[in-house]
């Protein structure tokens, strides 16, 4: 009776305090902006099973993934022991043995996992203190937190096995328990009620203590990662899209809805995020989900080349700010030095934010579906549109965008230059048609979206002409917009200037597409490709968009063009982040090279979804890189280490960065950087 009373006291106080912590946590999430993430529940459940329960993303690093899945699955198997222990606290001698033979499967699994988890914990402690991989090297507090958790986990296992061994010795055990049996035969050996009670109480106190420690530890991810995965937009939204700015439409007061901001007519006090209340609840949940595994930081091109930016820290700072400010907001405190601060500047510096190349390697790598990029872009929006706090080069780019409709300082008329050159080289009877002459795209096979680099950059103009040559050779009737084309808005958007991106680029481009009835587009630039294909849909435009590497693949497989096989160059291929990670176009460029090459491709150490950025995305193309090693040098060195004499790429920004890298390494004689279109054009059959 006393045991039951004491257990009830322990159990109810522990559950009570845990509930209090969770309610507080939910109040902190509510500080963030509303966002509906309850669509497509079926896919969300599949994501949760695949990523949170079967931990698929952890296997991007096989050994660590294996260690983690043992701990996690061990924990799930042991949940039954925990529940059994709780019930036993109220009902003396309770066990699930009444379920029959299946009980032995449960007890065997518990024993087996108990031992496996103990061994894994020892390994994990070893990895924390000796032979620690760089990504797990954390500050003392975080290390202590991890150690406390690992020790708690091992104590849970030891007390469980101890209690089971005593049950066997006392003759109260049911089911198959080989490990506990071994302990009973060789280690504990004496039947003792006192020892059993000791293990019983120690086990339950540690389990309940662990439960209450979780909300204040990074190991809260045991719970929050499942929720975070459920609410992530994996396979629900298009990958790595920037969300437009939405505002609450209160026209129907009873049923307020969200709608796109109308920059010309809506007055909003804040654009982008200055502090946690400007982020969404999901961004805040991301902060509480971080396991501090460091996978994101390990793959970050900015961090690994010595910049201040550390994606793990961005997420951690969101959590820290929430923990600092959350309790004050919840208690409605109006004056406190903490309230004077803001997430941006006081917790995350603008230098960190401007160092991001938006390569999305962090997002791809994170095992618990944290979206660092959406937070970074929201903070950049505040810096750009509210504070005008950006590097000088960004000011220049924005001036160019405003005056020339392109990040470069060339007038729109110059977009016609390559067209005239192409026509004069190929004669006026080419398949290239100017849309201004055609009046509509109805009679064309495709519209060739050239992009700013394709029109203005002297080196990349050769790629434009090569691709136009391929289309011409294949008999494809293709239209070009010439001076009616303007930047897609990618650079402005990634720099946080949503206003310019939407009003100056996206909306006018959509008008042009509508005017010419454009339904199918092909482009060489992965940044244009991503924007047109995945982000213009947010503004009501939907058309078929192909990257030129995909289009070339179709032309080859349909027999419209054929190529010479047997090119003896040694090729390596650099994945553009916006083509690869963003849009999962990995095979088309490789197939194109394999079509002409005798030796195939020597892959770089980091390729496909693990590809390393060239350093130019997110507007970094136009910014100086003064801190640490240059990202393009790091990537060029990796490309050169393959022994290739052609570095193939499929993006104008990558081409510029790699060409500069090859120049800096003084290898221009031996190594050429070429676009897939050039490689195919040089090897096309007459
Ligand atoms: S998007 Fe790329 S550069 Fe930016 S934080 Fe993530 S990994 Fe680093
Ligand atoms: S954000 Fe994700 S990848 Fe980065 S440390 Fe946290 S859990 Fe690991």
């Amino acid at each position: 009776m006393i045991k039951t009373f004491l257990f009830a006291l322990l159990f109810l106080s522990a559950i009570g305090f845990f509930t209090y912590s969770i309610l507080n946590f939910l109040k902190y999430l509510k500080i963030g902006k509303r966002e509906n993430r309850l669509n497509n529940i079926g896919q969300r459940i599949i994501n949760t099973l695949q990523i949170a329960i079967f931990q698929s993303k952890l296997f991007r690093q096989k050994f660590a993934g294996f260690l983690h899945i043992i701990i996690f699955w061990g924990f799930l198997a042991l949940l039954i022991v925990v529940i059994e222990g709780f019930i036993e606290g109220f009902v003396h001698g309770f066990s699930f043995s009444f379920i029959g033979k299946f009980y032995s499967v449960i007890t065997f699994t518990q024993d087996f996992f108990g031992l496996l988890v103990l061994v894994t914990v020892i390994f994990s402690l070893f990895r924390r203190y000796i032979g620690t991989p760089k990504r797990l090297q954390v500050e003392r507090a975080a290390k202590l937190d991890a150690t406390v958790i690992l020790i708690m986990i091992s104590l849970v296992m030891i007390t469980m096995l101890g209690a089971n061994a005593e049950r066997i010795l006392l003759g109260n055990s049911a089911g198959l328990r080989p490990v506990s049996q071994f302990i009973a035969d060789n280690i504990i050996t004496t039947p003792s009620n006192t020892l059993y009670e000791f293990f019983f109480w120690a086990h339950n106190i540690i389990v309940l203590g662990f439960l209450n420690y979780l909300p204040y530890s990074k190991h809260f991810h045991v719970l929050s990662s499942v929720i975070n995965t459920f609410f992530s937009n994996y396979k629900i939204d298009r990958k790595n899209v920037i969300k437009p700015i939405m505002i609450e439409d209160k026209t129907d007061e009873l049923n307020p809805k969200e709608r796109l901001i109308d920059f010309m007519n809506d007055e909003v006090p804040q654009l982008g995020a200055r502090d946690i209340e400007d982020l969404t609840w999901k961004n805040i949940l991301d902060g509480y989900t971080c396991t501090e595994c460091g996978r994101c930081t390990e793959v970050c091109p900015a961090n690994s080349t010595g910049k201040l930016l550390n994606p793990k820290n961005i997420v951690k700072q969101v959590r820290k700010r929430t923990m600092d400010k959350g309790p004050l907001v919840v208690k409605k405190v109006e004056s406190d030095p903490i309230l004077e601060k803001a997430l941006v500047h006081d917790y995350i510096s603008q230098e960190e934010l401007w160092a991001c190349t938006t390569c999305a390697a962090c997002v791809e790598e994170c095992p618990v579906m944290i979206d660092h990029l959406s937070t970074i872009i929201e903070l950049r929006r505040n810096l750009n549109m509210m504070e005008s706090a950006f590097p000088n080069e960004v000011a220049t780019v924005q001036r160019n965008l405003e005056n020339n409709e392109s990040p470069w300082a060339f007038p729109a008329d110059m977009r016609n230059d390559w067209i005239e050159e192409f026509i004069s080289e190929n004669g006026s009877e080419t398949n290239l048609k100017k849309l201004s002459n055609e009046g509509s795209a109805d009679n064309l096979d495709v519209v060739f979206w050239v992009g700013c680099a394709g029109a203005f950059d002297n080196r990349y103009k050769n790629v434009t002409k090569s691709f136009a040559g391929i289309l011409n050779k294949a008999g494809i009737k293709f239209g070009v917009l010439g001076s009616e084309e303007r930047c897609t808005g990618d650079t402005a958007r990634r720099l946080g200037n949503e206003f310019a991106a939407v009003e100056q680029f996206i909306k006018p481009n959509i008008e042009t597409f509508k005017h010419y009835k454009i339904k199918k587009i092909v482009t060489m630039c992965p940044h244009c490709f991503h924007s047109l294909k995945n982000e213009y849909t947010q503004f009501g435009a939907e058309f078929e968009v192909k990257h030129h590497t995909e289009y070339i693949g179709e032309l080859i497989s349909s027999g419209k063009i054929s190529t010479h096989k047997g090119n003896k160059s040694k090729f390596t291929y650099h994945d553009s982040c916006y083509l690869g990670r963003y849009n999962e176009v990995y095979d088309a460029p490789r197939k194109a090279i394999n079509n002409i090459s005798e030796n195939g491709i020597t892959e770089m150490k980091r390729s496909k979804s693990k590809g390393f950025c060239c350093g130019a995305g997110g507007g970094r193309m136009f910014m100086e890189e003064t801190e640490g090693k240059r990202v393009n040098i790091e990537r060029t060195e990796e490309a050169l280490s393959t022994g290739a004499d052609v570095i193939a790429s499929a993006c104008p920004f990558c081409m510029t960065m790699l060409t500069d890298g090859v120049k800096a390494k003084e290898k221009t004689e031996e190594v050429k950087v070429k676009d897939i279109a050039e490689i195919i054009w040089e090897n096309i059959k007459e």
Side-chain angles (χ1 to χ4, degrees):
M1 191 66 195
I2 292 180
K3 181 178 169 183
T4 311
F5 174 75
L6 287 176
F7 190 82
L9 200 65
L10 170 75
F11 184 77
L12 292 176
S13 350
I15 296 297
F17 191 72
F18 180 71
T19 312
Y20 166 79
S21 303
I22 294 296
L23 288 177
N24 268 344
F25 163 68
L26 292 177
K27 283 181 195 159
Y28 300 159
L29 290 191
K30 273 185 79 180
I31 296 172
K33 288 203 296 199
R34 282 162 47 152
E35 191 193 3
N36 185 359
R37 284 184 179 244
L38 281 171
N39 55 335
N40 206 340
I41 298 283
Q43 183 62 47
R44 291 184 187 282
I45 292 171
I46 293 171
N47 292 347
T48 310
L49 288 174
Q50 187 187 329
I51 298 165
I53 307 299
F54 290 99
Q55 314 225 310
S56 56
K57 285 190 87 182
L58 276 164
F59 282 93
R60 289 174 68 80
Q61 291 190 12
K62 291 197 175 56
F63 182 62
F66 177 69
L67 284 187
H68 197 273
I69 204 160
I70 288 175
I71 296 186
F72 182 78
W73 273 79
F75 241 85
L76 288 190
L78 294 165
L79 258 187
I80 300 172
V81 188
V82 170
I83 296 167
E84 204 173 44
F86 287 162
I87 301 178
E88 197 192 338
F90 294 101
V91 182
H92 181 67
F94 176 86
S95 85
F96 286 119
S97 57
F98 60 82
I99 61 171
K101 282 193 181 144
F102 188 66
Y103 188 63
S104 277
V105 178
I106 296 175
T107 53
F108 182 84
T109 314
Q110 285 164 357
D111 256 32
F112 174 71
F113 272 113
L115 185 66
L116 215 56
V117 169
L118 266 180
V119 174
T120 314
V121 164
I122 293 166
F123 252 115
S124 301
L125 278 170
F126 178 81
R127 270 161 66 83
R128 293 268 158 196
Y129 286 92
I130 307 159
T132 315
K134 193 168 169 250
R135 69 176 174 82
L136 290 179
Q137 289 167 5
V138 288
E139 64 270 34
R140 267 185 74 187
K143 199 168 179 172
L144 187 69
D145 179 48
T147 309
V148 167
I149 289 287
L150 287 171
I151 289 172
M152 275 185 165
I153 292 173
S154 48
L155 288 177
V156 169
M157 300 306 147
I158 290 168
T159 50
M160 175 195 80
L161 292 170
N164 286 342
E166 267 305 338
R167 267 202 198 104
I168 293 171
L169 290 167
L170 292 165
N172 299 332
S173 176
L176 208 59
R177 302 179 192 270
V179 181
S180 309
Q181 184 71 55
F182 178 84
I183 296 169
D185 292 343
N186 300 287
I187 302 173
I188 299 181
T189 66
T190 325
S192 158
N193 268 320
T194 316
L195 206 52
Y196 173 73
E197 289 299 323
F198 168 77
F199 282 129
F200 169 84
W201 281 98
H203 180 75
N204 283 298
I205 289 171
I206 296 165
V207 167
L208 290 169
F210 184 74
L211 187 71
N212 277 287
Y213 181 67
L214 279 184
Y216 304 93
S217 147
K218 81 179 177 78
H219 282 77
F220 191 48
H221 75 259
V222 174
L223 303 174
S224 59
S225 61
V226 180
I227 305 166
N228 205 51
T229 305
F230 179 83
F231 286 115
S232 80
N233 276 347
Y234 180 67
K235 291 195 176 162
I236 286 172
D237 244 0
R238 296 168 192 226
K239 241 178 138 187
N240 299 314
V241 292
I242 291 185
K243 292 266 175 75
I245 298 181
M246 306 295 284
I247 59 167
E248 221 169 75
D249 186 350
K250 294 187 179 142
T251 331
D252 177 358
E253 275 187 20
L254 292 176
N255 191 17
K257 289 204 175 91
E258 281 208 316
R259 65 162 170 80
L260 279 175
I261 187 171
D262 173 356
F263 283 103
M264 298 309 182
N265 298 304
D266 290 325
E267 289 215 359
V268 283
Q270 173 70 37
L271 293 167
R274 180 179 169 271
D275 212 340
I276 48 170
E277 52 268 45
D278 310 317
L279 291 171
T280 67
W281 62 267
K282 172 63 171 61
N283 296 133
I284 297 176
L285 179 62
D286 279 350
Y288 277 86
T289 305
C290 180
T291 70
E292 295 186 31
C293 68
R295 284 175 168 80
C296 54
T297 302
E298 193 176 48
V299 296
C300 173
N303 186 274
S304 55
T305 54
K307 319 290 185 287
L308 213 54
L309 173 62
N310 174 345
K312 175 177 83 175
N313 193 46
I314 299 282
V315 179
K316 266 179 72 179
Q317 291 307 314
V318 170
R319 176 180 180 153
K320 182 164 188 327
R321 178 67 181 152
T322 310
M323 287 173 98
D324 289 348
K325 189 176 180 181
L328 302 174
V329 175
V330 168
K331 285 183 203 142
K332 297 193 169 56
V333 174
E334 283 184 359
S335 162
D336 188 287
I338 298 261
L339 296 173
E340 308 294 314
K341 295 185 175 182
L343 177 63
V344 73
H345 303 305
D346 295 313
Y347 291 73
I348 300 171
S349 68
Q350 59 162 309
E351 287 74 20
E352 289 168 77
L353 296 168
W354 291 121
C356 177
T357 69
T358 67
C359 72
C362 50
V363 181
E364 186 82 21
E365 213 59 41
C366 179
V368 290
M369 304 308 288
I370 286 169
D371 183 355
H372 320 64
L373 251 183
S374 71
T375 298
I376 290 174
I377 294 293
E378 284 303 332
L379 296 170
R380 273 189 176 191
R381 280 175 172 168
N382 167 73
L383 285 177
N384 196 324
M385 292 186 285
M386 301 303 294
E387 300 185 23
S388 299
F390 36 66
N392 290 337
E393 308 93 276
V394 172
T396 310
V397 173
Q398 302 206 127
R399 233 182 353 263
N400 288 336
L401 285 167
E402 201 174 316
N403 299 331
N404 306 311
E405 294 164 354
S406 145
W408 280 278
F410 301 107
D413 274 358
M414 277 181 70
R415 289 184 191 265
N416 292 322
D417 289 1
W418 78 270
I419 301 172
E420 278 149 28
E421 285 166 31
F422 186 81
I423 291 174
S424 77
E425 284 161 18
N426 291 275
S428 55
E429 289 307 302
T430 72
N431 289 310
L432 180 154
K433 309 285 168 201
K434 283 187 90 173
L435 277 152
S436 51
N437 297 334
E438 293 290 301
S440 107
D442 281 349
N443 295 320
L444 300 173
D445 295 313
V446 72
V447 168
F448 175 20
W449 179 271
V450 179
C452 303
F456 299 128
D457 183 277
N458 270 337
R459 170 68 187 88
Y460 212 67
K461 272 196 316 200
N462 191 52
V463 180
T464 309
K465 287 200 242 166
S466 300
F467 184 57
I470 293 170
L471 293 174
N472 202 29
K473 182 106 197 140
I476 301 293
K477 261 175 111 182
F478 63 104
V480 288
L481 283 160
S483 55
E484 286 182 89
E485 200 182 283
R486 49 177 79 200
C487 177
T488 52
D490 163 78
T491 302
R493 228 175 170 205
R494 264 77 200 164
L495 286 173
N497 194 342
E498 184 74 358
F499 167 74
V502 175
E503 295 300 329
Q504 207 189 336
F505 301 106
I506 298 175
K507 284 186 180 171
N509 278 332
I510 290 177
E511 283 308 307
T512 309
F513 296 144
K514 280 189 186 152
H515 174 73
Y516 287 119
K517 300 187 196 143
I518 294 172
K519 302 204 177 59
K520 185 167 181 179
I521 293 172
V522 62
T523 181
M524 304 172 299
C525 173
H527 298 262
C528 298
F529 173 65
H530 179 69
S531 295
L532 294 171
K533 183 177 177 191
N534 301 319
E535 294 187 354
Y536 273 46
T537 53
Q538 298 163 351
F539 302 90
E542 183 103 34
F543 24 70
E544 193 185 343
V545 188
K546 295 262 175 199
H547 187 250
H548 74 312
T549 55
E550 297 176 304
Y551 205 80
I552 287 171
E554 286 173 14
L555 294 179
I556 293 175
S557 52
S558 64
K560 289 197 169 126
I561 54 166
S562 51
T563 50
H564 297 287
K565 181 86 182 166
N567 186 303
K568 294 199 169 21
S569 301
K570 286 188 217 143
F571 289 96
T572 189
Y573 173 70
H574 162 80
D575 285 282
S576 138
C577 304
Y578 277 66
L579 187 62
R581 249 189 314 273
Y582 274 62
N583 284 287
E584 296 178 359
V585 179
Y586 298 119
D587 292 340
R590 287 175 169 81
K591 272 193 189 158
I593 298 171
N594 284 326
N595 247 298
I596 59 102
S597 161
E598 191 172 282
N599 307 313
I601 300 166
T602 308
E603 291 287 352
M604 288 185 237
K605 204 170 86 218
R606 292 171 283 193
S607 65
K608 299 191 176 173
S609 69
K610 294 192 174 187
F612 191 78
C613 180
C614 70
R620 291 285 333 163
M621 171 81 183
F622 307 99
M623 290 184 234
E624 289 301 326
E625 204 176 324
T626 48
E627 221 186 325
K629 185 179 181 180
R630 291 177 67 90
V631 176
N632 66 329
I633 299 294
E634 169 83 6
R635 187 53 165 170
T636 307
E637 285 171 355
E638 196 173 330
L640 295 176
S641 73
T642 63
D645 46 38
V646 176
I647 304 174
S649 67
C651 166
F653 290 177
C654 298
M655 166 156 283
T656 305
M657 300 307 268
L658 293 168
T659 306
D660 286 354
V662 171
K663 263 188 219 152
K665 300 302 290 183
E666 297 178 351
K667 292 278 181 196
T668 43
E669 289 301 315
E670 305 97 305
V671 180
K672 304 288 169 218
V673 181
K674 289 184 183 175
D675 189 275
I676 297 290
E678 292 174 314
I679 293 168
I680 294 298
W681 183 236
E682 285 166 9
N683 292 277
I684 203 162
K685 280 188 183 161
E686 282 302 318

